Amino acid sequence: MKTPDAYYAQARDMFFAAHADFQAALDELTENDARAANLSLRQLRAWHAERIYAAFLRQKNLDGIIFSIQLAEPDKAVAADAIEAYLKSHAESLGMTWEEFCIKNEL
């Protein structure tokens, strides 16, 4: 099973593959733009890609990791396991048991 970050990165790449207009905007960034931001061109494009993808997720009121797992993982059983593992780690970071987390979030 991939990490949540790996799913997120894969889903972001899929998002840009499906939205040529956003990819074209990233491709228009130049070395001069990067120098002005004190970044490499690769870093600047990655920074803008992250902001665009995050804005899409916010606009749709989506949990970025859950959506990314659902988008990037074709095997539904693996996706369900990955989402459960992600939510369990989230519960743990909140200091909650899995049962408490499920009750609080009506899972």
Side-chain angles (χ1 to χ4, degrees):
M1 184 175 355
K2 297 177 194 169
T3 66
D5 289 339
Y7 280 118
Y8 187 89
Q10 182 181 355
R12 187 180 57 222
D13 290 345
M14 293 169 73
F15 172 83
F16 281 98
H19 294 89
D21 53 336
F22 290 132
Q23 185 60 56
L26 292 177
D27 293 342
E28 288 178 7
L29 294 169
T30 67
E31 288 290 343
N32 286 339
D33 298 325
R35 270 193 297 281
N38 212 20
L39 299 169
S40 71
L41 183 55
R42 183 187 59 76
Q43 289 171 320
L44 183 64
R45 286 180 175 162
W47 185 79
H48 278 290
E50 178 57 32
R51 290 177 50 93
I52 291 166
Y53 187 58
F56 166 78
L57 295 169
R58 276 192 311 276
Q59 180 201 24
K60 300 291 185 183
N61 290 325
L62 298 169
D63 178 296
I65 299 297
I66 293 174
F67 174 76
S68 295
I69 292 169
Q70 291 171 327
L71 181 63
E73 180 54 64
D75 185 321
K76 299 303 177 199
V78 173
D81 289 344
I83 290 169
E84 184 175 329
Y86 163 69
L87 291 175
K88 283 183 176 179
S89 72
H90 192 62
E92 184 179 317
S93 70
L94 293 172
M96 301 173 77
T97 67
W98 178 236
E99 292 76 25
E100 291 170 330
F101 185 83
C102 288
I103 290 168
K104 182 176 190 289
N105 292 287
E106 300 177 359
L107 300 176

